[in-house]
Amino acid sequence: MKNSFILCSILLVALMFLPGCSTGGGTESSMILSPADTSSPAQTYPEFTAESVLLDDDDTSDPQGNLVVVISDIHLGDERSIKEGYAWFNKNESILVDFLKTLAGRQAVKEVVIDGDMFDEWVIPMDHDTFNGFGSGQEGESRFVDSIAQAHPDIISGIKTLIQSGRKVTYVPGNHDMLVTREDIDRIFPGISQQRDAAGLGTYSPGGLAGTVIEHSHRYDFFNAPDMLSNRIPYSPENYTTNSGAIIPPGFFVSKIAASNGYQSVGFEGSLGLNSNSMIGPFYYWAAWKLILSQVKPTQDYNAKIIKTGIDGYTGVYAINDLVPQVDFITINQPLLYRYIEDNWQNRQAENLVPSSISVLSGLLVGSLSVWCDFQSRTQYFSRDTGTRVVVFGHTHKATLGASYNANNDKCIYANSGTWIDKGDPDCTMVIIDPDSQLDGSVKETVSVYQFTDKGTMKQLYTDSITLKN
């Protein structure tokens, strides 16, 4: 942890001295998103009954209510992951089932948004075939997703019940389920709504919530954004996958290494590449990998071919050192996989429809520091589009809420829905958006972060509101 703090400090100092935080396109605001006083949590969080929180006090004549509930990062694994103990989500299953039942029983709930990482296709040990022998292509992927659904029948049933009860349920892709197709989701959840744009990504604005945007936010994460370039010609000497549309980024391999060594998260899932035409880019990429490995502390031989793929058309078996640049005094040798990945970042962002391109240094920080991921709400939305006033992300596993201001000095709110994994801190969290029509025709939109407890109550971690005028 001391090494993490030192490198983090170096990164932040380096960031301050980079003009516009840009190395080849994109600019970023200097204003840091900071928590508003009204959203700062107390020493003891207020705790309410679920019925009182999910109460529609705006328009009782509307049988469907108006509350929008956002959850993310459930990380459902297959039966194999549960039996072998490497699943991120297991102990909290009964709590999520109770929460889904609670939502289905409340007329105030208009919509439930599942904001990415519902299914987990990455957290699988290195020596395990990813899709469990179903095949590395699309048919194998679909069969694997079905096996995950079969391992969690009560959760799948709970989401289906929500849909059947008339609530709108919307799915947005995350990084751990970026390969889960529209057809997979429709097959498992008939009647569900989906929001997708580029491959493995989606951005969603719920109807009736003017100026509100929801996305998982891995789009901005150097290690976890879809990578359709690095392992294909001309960027590598050969194609390593039979899938011409392959998008698996290096974060997939980080997850497999972590799963093999008992870790549920890695603090720095990113790289510091600036430009591989100089020494600095590959060196920082190497340094980031070294930091990741120092946190995970793999016991495996770094040169042993033990990382099985079996995903996204990949069938090869690789060593840890096939992913990590090697430093020999002043010479840096590119790894076998993701060679010159630093050079592809700007093109990756264009393919991934990033609104405002950022440097690869910022791309690292998005995957390294939750606050820098949170800050992308300002870089990508508030500072460039004054019509967006509320942004909700997932991905970081850290539930939070903060206030900022746009170019017109209008107050804006950012929230993160957190996670449901067993070791979340906190776990079982969600964002609830409550639009309340005012007599003058404006709408007071209250954004709150709650934790659902094993007692069926809801702790309010943060809350804040803005007024939207017509």
Side-chain angles (χ1 to χ4, degrees):
M1 293 306 293
K2 182 178 180 181
N3 290 338
S4 300
F5 176 77
I6 293 173
L7 183 55
C8 178
S9 300
I10 293 173
L11 296 183
L12 291 176
V13 171
L15 188 65
M16 288 189 291
F17 286 95
L18 285 177
C21 308
S22 179
T23 62
T27 59
E28 297 180 39
S29 168
S30 61
M31 178 178 284
I32 299 293
L33 184 76
S34 59
D37 292 340
T38 54
S39 64
S40 298
Q43 291 293 324
T44 302
Y45 301 117
E47 190 167 350
F48 306 94
T49 64
E51 290 75 15
S52 64
V53 173
L54 302 173
L55 175 66
D56 186 357
D57 57 0
D58 178 30
D59 185 2
T60 56
S61 66
D62 182 359
Q64 292 187 334
N66 62 357
L67 301 182
V68 175
V69 179
V70 185
I71 61 175
S72 69
D73 296 273
I74 303 169
H75 290 277
L76 301 178
D78 63 354
E79 188 66 29
R80 172 183 56 169
S81 71
I82 298 170
K83 288 182 176 179
E84 296 186 24
Y86 60 83
W88 285 6
F89 176 86
N90 185 17
K91 295 178 181 178
N92 286 340
E93 179 146 7
S94 61
I95 301 176
L96 179 55
V97 170
D98 288 344
F99 180 62
L100 293 172
K101 290 178 180 178
T102 299
L103 293 179
R106 305 304 303 171
Q107 291 298 322
V109 177
K110 178 181 181 181
E111 182 172 2
V112 177
V113 180
I114 303 172
D115 189 21
D117 286 359
M118 173 167 55
F119 296 108
D120 199 315
E121 297 184 332
W122 287 16
V123 179
I124 297 160
M126 291 187 286
D127 61 357
H128 286 39
D129 177 80
T130 303
F131 290 156
N132 202 17
F134 293 129
S136 66
Q138 188 53 61
E139 181 181 355
E141 189 279 332
S142 294
R143 292 177 64 189
F144 181 68
V145 172
D146 285 343
S147 74
I148 294 177
Q150 291 164 8
H152 304 275
D154 292 338
I155 290 176
I156 303 304
S157 176
I159 295 173
K160 286 182 176 180
T161 298
L162 274 174
I163 298 170
Q164 294 164 359
S165 69
R167 300 333 185 266
K168 183 177 183 181
V169 178
T170 301
Y171 162 82
V172 179
N175 52 309
H176 283 239
D177 53 9
M178 63 169 58
L179 297 182
V180 178
T181 67
R182 178 179 293 275
E183 291 73 23
D184 291 333
I185 297 296
D186 284 340
R187 180 179 65 256
I188 297 171
F189 303 111
I192 198 171
S193 173
Q194 300 188 53
Q195 193 66 35
R196 299 170 180 265
D197 40 52
L201 296 160
T203 303
Y204 179 52
S205 296
L209 292 181
T212 298
V213 172
I214 301 169
E215 66 166 306
H216 191 66
S217 79
H218 61 298
R219 190 188 307 263
Y220 317 111
D221 185 337
F222 191 90
F223 251 47
N224 293 303
D227 187 345
M228 65 300 296
L229 300 172
S230 296
N231 287 337
R232 287 194 253 147
I233 295 173
Y235 301 100
S236 291
E238 61 180 296
N239 286 332
Y240 294 101
T241 170
T242 60
N243 180 10
S244 61
I247 60 174
I248 283 292
F252 161 75
F253 289 93
V254 173
S255 293
K256 286 185 76 72
I257 295 170
S260 298
N261 292 276
Y263 280 76
Q264 286 207 350
S265 64
V266 179
F268 280 76
E269 296 184 3
S271 92
L272 283 181
L274 296 179
N275 191 312
S276 64
N277 293 326
S278 66
M279 287 287 289
I280 193 77
F283 173 78
Y284 276 130
Y285 186 50
W286 165 82
W289 263 112
K290 288 297 182 181
L291 179 56
I292 290 169
L293 296 176
S294 73
Q295 290 181 329
V296 175
K297 298 180 177 62
T299 58
Q300 299 81 7
D301 183 343
Y302 284 17
N303 290 311
K305 299 288 186 178
I306 54 177
I307 307 178
K308 295 181 180 179
T309 51
I311 183 174
D312 208 16
Y314 288 81
T315 57
V317 181
Y318 300 100
I320 294 175
N321 277 343
D322 288 335
L323 297 153
V324 183
Q326 301 301 307
V327 177
D328 181 12
F329 190 48
I330 62 171
T331 302
I332 298 179
N333 298 312
Q334 289 288 328
L336 180 67
L337 297 176
Y338 303 102
R339 296 169 60 87
Y340 302 106
I341 187 173
E342 306 90 349
D343 290 349
N344 299 329
W345 179 234
Q346 295 302 322
N347 288 336
R348 267 173 79 190
Q349 291 182 86
E351 293 278 352
N352 289 332
L353 305 180
V354 173
S356 181
S357 66
I358 61 176
S359 68
V360 288
L361 179 55
S362 278
L364 163 73
L365 292 176
V366 168
S368 307
L369 303 171
S370 60
V371 68
W372 201 251
C373 183
D374 299 340
F375 182 55
Q376 293 310 306
S377 62
R378 181 168 184 81
T379 300
Q380 304 299 330
Y381 293 102
F382 301 147
S383 65
R384 58 175 294 275
D385 179 8
T386 57
T388 300
R389 301 279 301 280
V390 175
V391 171
V392 180
F393 286 166
H395 187 46
T396 69
H397 293 189
K398 185 176 178 61
T400 190
L401 185 148
S404 182
Y405 290 85
N406 61 21
N408 288 344
N409 206 33
D410 297 320
K411 182 179 176 180
C412 303
I413 294 177
Y414 165 76
N416 193 292
S417 49
T419 185
W420 287 76
I421 66 171
D422 294 347
K423 294 184 179 180
D425 184 21
D427 55 7
C428 305
T429 56
M430 81 281 315
V431 170
I432 297 180
I433 305 173
D434 182 4
D436 188 2
S437 298
Q438 306 295 297
L439 293 177
D440 62 359
S442 63
V443 175
K444 179 182 179 182
E445 192 163 308
T446 299
V447 183
S448 304
V449 179
Y450 286 93
Q451 179 186 37
F452 191 78
T453 74
D454 56 4
K455 299 179 293 183
T457 59
M458 298 180 70
K459 292 182 180 180
Q460 186 182 82
L461 307 184
Y462 307 92
T463 188
D464 206 345
S465 62
I466 57 174
T467 299
L468 303 173
K469 297 180 179 180
N470 292 333

